[in-house]
Amino acid sequence: MTTKTGGGQAPQDGDLHGDLRITAVTCVKNEGPFLLEWIAFNRLIGVTDFLFYSNDCTDGTDRLLDALQARGGVTHLPNPAQGRNYQMEALKDAARQEVVRAADWVWIADVDEFLNIHAGDHTIPALIAACGNPQAISVTFQFFANDGVDGFVDAPVIGQFTRSHNPDIWCAETAIEVKTLMRRDFPLQYFGAHRPFHKVAKVKVPPSWTDGSGRPVPEKFLEADNPRRIRRFPAAGARDHATLNHYALRSLDSYLVKNDRGDVNREGRAFDDTYWRERNDPAWEDLSIRRYLPALEAALAELKADPEIAALHDSAVRLHVEKRDALLAHPDYREMQAQLRAAPALPPQESALMDALGIDAPGIGA
């Protein structure tokens, strides 16, 4: 895939590469094997502080976060939610936390999402400069396929999975979801998982807000009333300076474990593979994020040079593998594994069209 690097107008309020405080906020449950990569990667692109909310962890995610917190730069809190809406309750709490209030920029993302910056030196400050230092930057998702990878490997995710849908169209959609970087002076009403919200009627001048190419976001997106919760816009031309690589599937092993932690409720009904198939389109090869791999591997080695951190990471990896083995001892999970292996490597919409035309759909890895 060919990407463009951005120039952009230099900001007027100081050297963006110098003193920016950037806080990443995320919610986690049983993400232990993947934490160090996500933290190391985000530090490489300019994140200075992390706020993690965890709940119901059984793989040592919470213990690893506590150890990282003791070393600085990481804040770990129990998720305050009383019920199902874990992310929104955490984000409501995050807005009150000093690590967020004191930040110049806030980045809300999940541990399987990596901000792949094409501009300048491939850091968040370079992205901000390329976009003209707006109050918010919404970067478009690119969903990375499983690539036919069955087994979990304790190695950087960004190096293992290299294929995705055509970046301009996902399934039948040309409008694709975004995640948003927000500057301190954004007129915030509340954080959303995909974008901040402001009270349109109370803001005399709309916030300056761009896509990942530095273009103003569409008016409908900018002025969305809160109940409408618009979180997507057309993807074409929106990735000149950055893409949000989303590794929602990872290996088949890890996807089975992800299902078990509660993302899919299978009790009393047949397993629905729609989520997997929608995100397992391998039509497009994109190796651009591999530019970070040498520095990432060095950063991971530095983190693991701490014996306690290394031991907690290794324990999370072991528990992840043990959970996979325990799941595959059950017939329903072996059936799920076989179903996903056999599923066409096409979104259901495209597969249905091929069926109607009498064309055979390829399997995974075909």
Side-chain angles (χ1 to χ4, degrees), residues 29 38 45 51-52 82 101 110 116 133 148 181 205 236 277 293 307 313 360 363 365:
K29 178 181 178 181
W38 197 75
I45 64 172
L51 174 57
F52 283 90
Q82 300 295 318
R101 294 174 64 85
D110 297 332
N116 182 14
N133 195 22
L181 275 162
V205 179
R277 290 181 59 197
L293 269 177
H313 171 79
D360 290 334

Side-chain angles (χ1 to χ4, degrees), residues 240-270:
D240 283 2
H241 305 318
T243 293
L244 184 58
N245 286 23
H246 189 193
Y247 303 93
L249 305 183
R250 301 180 180 132
S251 67
L252 180 53
D253 282 351
S254 293
Y255 188 74
L256 296 176
V257 174
K258 177 178 178 176
N259 271 267
D260 176 71
R261 80 179 185 196
D263 279 7
V264 175
N265 178 10
R266 299 187 61 241
E267 186 174 355
R269 66 178 175 84

